[in-house]
Amino acid sequence: MTRPVSARVMLVTFESAQILDVTGPAEVFSTASRYLSGVAYEVAVASVGGGMVGSSSGIAFATLDIAGCRTPPDTLIVAGGRDMAEVVADRDLLSEVNRLAGGARRVASVCSGAFVLAAAGLLDGRRAATHWAECDLLRRTYPRVSVDGDAIYVRDGNVWTSAGVTAGIDLALALVADDHGRQAAARVARQLVVYLRRSGGQAQFSTVLEAQHADSEPIRDLVAWLPDHLGDDLTVGALAHRTHLSARQFSRVFRAETGSTPAEHVEAVRTEAACRLLETTQAPIDEIARRCGFGNPETMNRTFRRRLDTTPGQHRQHFGAPC
């Protein structure tokens, strides 16, 4: 079943909010209304006092006065931005968010907008996501919130929270999928030329991206080389040879600079590569296992169960592109 026509989405913003936190989700819902039959999201942007509101990029946009919005929206989404300590000190903003959240079918935040929901008490006892750089601060400031530092977005009951910036688009696509199904969300994603493949259970950072912060050039070069050579011999000895280090010295340096052992890193990169192929291709699982260096489906299956608590087949079923 689809949701009723004219489901109202209210995006709450403030001075110095990040503009993509507002415009990203707004464009998703607008595109859904244009391209999906029988779907009509009514998008409104509101702030305390209304009028023109500046963004962190210096671009201003018109908003409604949130106090004048007497009927709660179907979906309430709070943007994130700079100066969040000042934002959460705005008692009028918190009061209005609480009022509208009480009647909304679902409540969401993008990026550091989670701080607004937390300050309003809407995240107490719930799991939540926010921008990776703000996770520790959210934990310390609001200890009743269970912060997931890895997730692109988190759904806990009727409350949805997302990681930073473009993750708001992933969140909005997930909300469309929740309303009208994955096929509908996939059509919106295609119109926006974005991937419908990042899910709430997928990490904000890839293993390769994190390891690229290694200090020494040999380790950085090796990390960059690995994804294109997953079927090669990637034992410690072979990798040490490529960096012209002894196996013992290589293992020590690699762990010091990346935070993981060579074997752990290789397994993580192979798993991520397999996930991408499962999500974006119809290649047989045994072929993916071979291409990613697992050797056989049984080994890949055991790795998926241990690392992701799922199987390759289940991952494809949940995250794969529609046939």
Side-chain angles (χ1 to χ4, degrees), residues 183-267:
Q183 293 279 358
R187 185 175 178 191
V188 175
R190 285 195 295 272
Q191 290 294 335
L192 293 173
V193 198
V194 297
Y195 290 111
L196 183 67
R197 69 181 194 184
R198 299 204 308 175
S199 76
Q202 290 171 299
Q204 295 189 38
F205 288 113
S206 71
T207 300
V208 174
L209 183 60
E210 289 189 274
Q212 283 175 348
H213 292 289
D215 292 330
S216 67
E217 187 173 346
I219 300 299
R220 287 199 306 272
D221 289 347
L222 180 67
V223 167
W225 173 86
L226 272 173
D228 295 323
H229 299 83
L230 295 179
D232 292 5
D233 178 5
L234 301 182
T235 59
V236 170
L239 296 177
H241 180 73
R242 286 195 62 83
T243 57
H244 307 291
L245 298 170
S246 69
R248 185 173 182 177
Q249 185 181 16
F250 167 73
S251 295
R252 178 178 57 78
V253 171
F254 191 94
R255 181 158 197 167
E257 297 197 11
T258 69
S260 66
T261 68
E264 289 168 344
H265 181 82
V266 168
E267 185 178 79

Side-chain angles (χ1 to χ4, degrees), residues 84-114:
M84 293 308 295
E86 297 177 16
V87 174
V88 299
D90 186 336
R91 306 313 301 176
D92 290 337
L93 174 63
L94 299 185
S95 175
E96 293 298 336
V97 166
N98 244 320
R99 175 178 65 83
L100 293 173
R105 177 169 64 91
R106 60 190 174 191
V107 179
S109 64
V110 180
C111 194
S112 54

